């Protein structure tokens, strides 16, 4: 029997030279190991996704990562995309199909940045394509000229919903987080409840309102130096607990 949970990470499809490759940022892979104590399993993103039910039946968790690409807007709106907006339709096909199935199969889900937006869109929600050009909101993007530690450093506070999962993890009603996103949640998807908001009112985290399914989606990047930030580590540890519970549940049902 396995002793460690297996966590699937859908890959980005990228052109490397003249050939397409499937990749996941090392910081996410390392966070699964260091923050969740789990084994990372990379999932290829194909235009015709793999048999997802069979895939999820062998996993104990799912981490939807951030990415340079954005979800194609036709998945949530009739708005056109903007010039220079990078897309990954094969990742869209994979993740937007994975999420509802993961909920059905009660596979724990932690979603980060683009992953947070994928959770919202997969459940019927919408997005702001350019938060920084939307009246009432601040610019949540990073400065690409800054060193990485500055880009991923504390950027703004968030207010945590009273009685929510993140408030329990933080042990406080607010926390500091990094901010590296140009898009953001607009109308919430079905069954999602707000876990955190930024000072400008932008929703920064949501969870699925369910007693038996763990789905937590955050707009910031808790995977960054996860062992050095108690709040970020607590997020991964809560996810890990749900993954271990699923592993135990699956182990009980396997034939001797």
């Amino acid at each position: 029997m396995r002793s460690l949970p297996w966590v699937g990470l859908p890959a980005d499809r990228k052109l490397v030279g003249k050939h397409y490759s499937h990749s996941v940022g090392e910081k996410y892979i390392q966070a699964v190991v260091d923050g969740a104590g789990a084994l990372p399993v990379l999932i290829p993103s194909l235009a015709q996704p793999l048999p997802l039910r069979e895939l999820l039946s062998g996993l104990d968790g799912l981490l939807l990562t951030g990415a340079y690409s954005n979800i194609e807007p036709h998945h949530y709106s009739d708005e056109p995309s903007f010039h220079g907006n990078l897309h990954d339709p094969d990742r869209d096909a994979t993740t937007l199909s994975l999420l509802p199935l993961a909920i059905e199969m009660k596979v724990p889900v932690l979603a980060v940045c683009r992953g947070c937006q994928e959770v919202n869109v997969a459940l019927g929600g919408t997005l702001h394509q350019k938060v920084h050009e939307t009246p009432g909101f601040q610019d949540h993007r990073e400065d690409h000229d800054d060193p990485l530690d500055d880009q991923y450093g504390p950027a703004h506070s968030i207010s945590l919903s009273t009685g929510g999962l993140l408030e329990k993890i933080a042990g406080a009603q607010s926390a500091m987080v990094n901010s590296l996103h140009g898009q953001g949640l607009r109308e919430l998807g079905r069954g999602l409840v707000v876990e955190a908001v930024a000072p400008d009112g932008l929703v920064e985290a949501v969870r699925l309102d369910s007693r038996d399914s763990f789905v937590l989606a955050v707009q910031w990047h808790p995977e960054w130096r996860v062992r050095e930030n108690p709040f970020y580590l607590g997020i991964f540890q809560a996810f890990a607990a749900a993954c271990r519970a699923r592993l135990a549940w699956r182990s009980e049902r396997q034939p001797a």
Side-chain angles (χ1 to χ4, degrees):
M1 301 298 295
R2 291 199 270 113
S3 61
L4 296 177
W6 287 9
V7 172
L9 300 91
D12 302 320
R13 182 173 180 262
K14 297 181 177 180
L15 189 63
V16 179
K18 296 183 178 181
H19 299 276
Y20 279 98
S21 298
H22 295 256
S23 66
V24 175
E26 184 176 287
K27 61 195 175 95
Y28 301 106
I29 298 171
Q30 198 67 55
V32 168
V33 176
D34 294 341
L39 292 177
V41 179
L42 274 57
I43 302 172
S45 290
L46 303 173
Q48 295 296 324
L50 298 168
L52 298 182
R53 186 175 294 274
E54 184 173 350
L55 173 67
L56 286 174
S57 68
L59 296 177
D60 306 300
L62 190 63
L63 175 61
L64 303 180
T65 70
Y68 290 107
S69 64
N70 292 311
I71 302 169
E72 289 188 304
H74 71 79
H75 289 291
Y76 59 86
S77 172
D78 57 2
E79 301 173 10
S81 186
F82 58 86
H83 178 70
N85 194 8
L86 180 62
H87 294 304
D88 186 347
D90 293 335
R91 169 155 170 168
D92 290 350
T94 298
T95 56
L96 298 181
S97 300
L98 264 175
L99 192 278
L101 191 56
I103 293 172
E104 175 193 330
M105 298 176 66
K106 297 180 173 51
V107 178
V109 177
L110 177 60
V112 172
C113 201
R114 186 198 208 268
C116 179
Q117 296 160 16
E118 288 169 339
V119 167
N120 197 50
V121 170
L123 294 177
T126 62
L127 303 177
H128 296 290
Q129 286 202 58
K130 292 184 177 182
V131 171
H132 52 286
E133 294 184 2
T134 303
F137 293 123
Q138 299 173 353
D139 191 341
H140 287 251
R141 298 173 298 175
E142 74 277 26
D143 186 339
H144 292 283
D145 293 329
D146 285 345
L148 278 180
D149 280 337
D150 291 343
Q151 292 183 37
Y152 285 87
H156 62 73
S157 65
I158 52 172
S159 297
L160 306 179
S161 298
T162 302
L165 175 59
L166 289 179
E167 185 194 45
K168 293 176 183 177
I169 291 171
Q173 294 182 327
S174 64
M176 291 295 296
V177 296
N178 52 41
S179 187
L180 300 95
H181 60 100
Q183 302 202 329
L185 306 192
R186 189 174 181 176
E187 298 171 336
L188 294 192
R190 297 178 300 275
L192 297 177
V193 295
V194 174
E195 277 281 329
V197 296
D200 60 4
L202 186 68
V203 173
E204 285 278 328
V206 293
R207 65 173 170 83
L208 185 67
D209 188 13
S210 171
R211 292 185 177 182
D212 57 0
S213 294
F214 181 100
V215 179
L216 176 64
V218 303
Q219 191 60 76
W220 64 92
H221 287 265
E223 81 284 353
W224 183 255
R225 302 192 184 280
V226 65
R227 301 292 302 184
E228 301 174 16
N229 186 309
F231 180 48
Y232 293 178
L233 180 59
I235 291 171
F236 271 88
Q237 289 177 334
F239 173 57
C243 294
R244 288 193 299 269
R246 174 169 170 79
L247 174 60
W249 179 86
R250 292 174 59 249
S251 298
E252 291 173 358
R253 282 154 179 76
Q254 289 183 355

